[in-house]
């Protein structure tokens, strides 16, 4: 059973493996997207419950669970770093777009701090 809250832009369900863990998936451009097709729903990307004992990994596609292959600790860490970098870049872009004083004709020196922050975060994450 997948519970969807449009108001709070989130979906939640109990882990598909049966372990009983509650899985919450925020619906944002950098987290998960919900696709409704007639009477079926799909969640993208996959759901990796790597912080749970079960370490299950699956997709929800057209109301069905599609199991994904197990991932190594190194693969999981790489995915988590990429997700964090994607979120940081998204937030930085939105911050610049929401601050008119940083939007000028051409490239402004005001963009420097944001660019340095993103580059610093990427370096810290190992990119």
């Amino acid at each position: 059973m997948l519970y969807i809250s449009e108001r709070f832009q989130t979906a939640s369900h109990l882990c598909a493996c049966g372990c009983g863990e509650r899985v919450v998936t925020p619906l944002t451009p950098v987290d998960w997207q919900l696709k409704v097709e007639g009477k079926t729903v799909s969640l993208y990307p996959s759901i990796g419950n790597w912080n749970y004992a079960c370490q299950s990994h699956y997709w929800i596609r057209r109301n069905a669970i599609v199991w994904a292959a197990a991932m190594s600790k190194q693969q999981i860490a790489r995915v988590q770093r990429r997700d964090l970098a994607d979120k940081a870049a998204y937030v930085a872009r939105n911050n610049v777009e929401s601050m008119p004083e940083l939007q000028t004709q051409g490239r402004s020196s005001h963009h420097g701090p944001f660019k340095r922050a993103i580059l610093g975060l990427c370096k810290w994450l190992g990119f």
Side-chain angles (χ1 to χ4, degrees), residues 16-51:
C17 80
C19 69
E21 291 283 356
R22 292 181 186 154
V23 180
V24 177
T25 50
L27 304 174
T28 73
V30 291
D31 288 304
W32 285 270
Q33 292 84 50
L34 182 71
K35 184 175 183 181
V36 178
E37 299 173 285
K39 293 185 178 187
T40 68
V41 295
S42 300
L43 265 182
Y44 295 93
S46 63
I47 298 160
N49 293 324
W50 300 305
N51 294 326

Side-chain angles (χ1 to χ4, degrees), residues 30 84-99 114 118 121:
V30 291
L84 187 57
D86 289 347
K87 288 177 187 180
Y90 176 77
V91 168
R93 270 193 315 273
N94 283 342
N95 284 343
V96 169
E97 290 171 6
S98 68
M99 299 174 72
F114 291 103
I118 294 299
L121 178 61

Side-chain angles (χ1 to χ4, degrees), residues 10 38 75 85 106 108:
T10 191
Q75 289 172 313
S108 168

Side-chain angles (χ1 to χ4, degrees), residues 95-109:
N95 284 343
V96 169
E97 290 171 6
S98 68
M99 299 174 72
E101 65 273 14
L102 295 181
Q103 297 176 5
T104 61
Q105 295 176 353
R107 295 282 177 196
S108 168
S109 62

Side-chain angles (χ1 to χ4, degrees), residues 3-91:
Y3 298 93
I4 302 164
S5 171
E6 291 180 8
R7 178 179 175 198
F8 295 107
Q9 297 181 343
T10 191
S12 63
H13 63 282
L14 293 179
C15 183
C17 80
C19 69
E21 291 283 356
R22 292 181 186 154
V23 180
V24 177
T25 50
L27 304 174
T28 73
V30 291
D31 288 304
W32 285 270
Q33 292 84 50
L34 182 71
K35 184 175 183 181
V36 178
E37 299 173 285
K39 293 185 178 187
T40 68
V41 295
S42 300
L43 265 182
Y44 295 93
S46 63
I47 298 160
N49 293 324
W50 300 305
N51 294 326
Y52 299 151
C54 66
Q55 301 248 318
S56 62
H57 184 205
Y58 51 89
W59 286 269
I60 298 176
R61 291 189 180 153
R62 295 184 172 181
N63 295 351
I65 301 300
V66 177
W67 292 98
M71 295 175 69
S72 70
K73 289 184 180 188
Q74 293 82 11
Q75 289 172 313
I76 292 168
R78 194 170 29 249
V79 169
Q80 290 173 326
R81 284 193 307 267
R82 186 183 65 225
D83 288 348
L84 187 57
D86 289 347
K87 288 177 187 180
Y90 176 77
V91 168

